[in-house]
Amino acid sequence: MTHLPVRRIRSDDGWCEDRRDRHYNQPIRLKADHPGDRLKRADHLYDLIIELDHNTRPRIAGRGSAVFVHMARPGFAPTAGCVALKADALRRLIARIGPRTRIVVG
């Protein structure tokens, strides 16, 4: 249970990281042969994600995109700029926050 808006991730869900694209740092739909950053992953890291409000208002090309709170890799291997939590900690966080919650990463 959460107070956040929820949507199941589909196989064509992706995130635009191309700084030349007008959809930079926004969710997009990807065709099967498109090489973009897919949200549906075999390693399940993005099965639960919280989009952080990083570089969204205004979006500035090259300032960072796809910054999420998501599940951690085994051994807490590094992310590409996201915040990673164990699955149970992420579920507890999701249950306690809402759309007006501020997550500050420092």
Side-chain angles (χ1 to χ4, degrees):
M1 171 107 178
T2 185
H3 299 287
L4 294 171
V6 176
R7 185 174 68 76
R8 184 175 301 275
I9 294 173
R10 299 184 303 225
S11 61
D12 62 345
D13 284 334
W15 204 267
C16 182
E17 294 188 329
D18 181 351
R19 63 185 73 172
R20 299 163 304 192
D21 192 304
R22 67 184 178 97
H23 298 293
Y24 176 70
N25 196 26
Q26 296 180 56
I28 56 173
R29 298 268 185 239
L30 298 173
K31 295 181 179 165
D33 60 343
H34 191 279
D37 191 13
R38 293 194 181 275
L39 299 181
K40 185 129 182 144
R41 298 168 51 120
D43 61 10
H44 302 284
L45 292 182
Y46 292 171
D47 282 3
L48 297 171
I49 60 173
I50 302 169
E51 176 192 350
L52 295 180
D53 191 19
H54 172 75
N55 192 25
T56 58
R57 290 175 297 232
R59 284 177 175 78
I60 298 172
R63 226 176 184 186
S65 70
V67 180
F68 306 126
V69 177
H70 63 73
M71 288 191 273
R73 288 182 173 91
F76 282 97
T79 70
C82 294
V83 175
L85 301 173
K86 288 183 178 180
D88 59 332
L90 181 55
R91 284 187 189 94
R92 284 195 310 273
L93 176 65
I94 288 171
R96 288 171 172 77
I97 64 175
R100 297 178 57 101
T101 301
R102 287 188 60 198
I103 297 176
V104 178
V105 179

